[in-house]
Amino acid sequence: MLDEYTRGQTTFDEYADEVQSGHLRWTPPHRDSNFWRENSRKIMEDKELPKKLAEIAGKKWESDKKVLAIVCNDIGNLVRESPEYRSTLEKLGLKARVMELMQDSDEAV
């Protein structure tokens, strides 16, 4: 039952809805290597999702810093699974933002 639930929550549409909501949580797609292998190119080809990730990453999230950790996780997975889109992510300012977040005082980020 748990595997079935996780599969149902680890779909591209579920992930896209979460990103479009503007607030990320540690839902199953973020930690599922199969999800990233199967969907990273689809995410990058969507055009809007990378922009929305950049928007999310650009906020301060003072009251919910785990959102920053999640977006960094997602960016790392996109780079790992779709290295051909690295320049696209860089143009969105995500490389610079991730480097900045690596200096964050909050260890969770």
Side-chain angles (χ1 to χ4, degrees), residues 60-75:
K60 295 285 184 201
W61 296 100
E62 291 297 331
S63 63
D64 196 3
K65 292 253 184 172
K66 69 181 160 194
V67 172
L68 295 172
I70 297 166
V71 79
C72 287
N73 171 77
D74 291 2
I75 293 163

Side-chain angles (χ1 to χ4, degrees), residues 44-63:
M44 292 305 299
E45 290 166 0
D46 182 87
K47 304 294 182 204
E48 291 304 313
L49 289 177
K51 289 177 187 175
K52 191 66 178 180
L53 287 170
E55 179 185 318
I56 293 168
K59 294 180 180 178
K60 295 285 184 201
W61 296 100
E62 291 297 331
S63 63

Side-chain angles (χ1 to χ4, degrees), residues 32-95:
D32 186 336
S33 59
N34 288 327
F35 171 82
W36 292 105
R37 221 176 352 271
E38 295 169 5
N39 294 291
S40 62
R41 284 172 183 77
K42 189 173 180 180
I43 291 167
M44 292 305 299
E45 290 166 0
D46 182 87
K47 304 294 182 204
E48 291 304 313
L49 289 177
K51 289 177 187 175
K52 191 66 178 180
L53 287 170
E55 179 185 318
I56 293 168
K59 294 180 180 178
K60 295 285 184 201
W61 296 100
E62 291 297 331
S63 63
D64 196 3
K65 292 253 184 172
K66 69 181 160 194
V67 172
L68 295 172
I70 297 166
V71 79
C72 287
N73 171 77
D74 291 2
I75 293 163
N77 281 311
L78 289 169
V79 169
R80 183 174 34 262
E81 295 298 332
S82 300
E84 67 273 18
Y85 289 104
R86 182 176 288 180
S87 64
T88 302
L89 295 170
E90 285 182 33
K91 288 176 187 172
L92 291 171
L94 287 168
K95 179 180 179 181

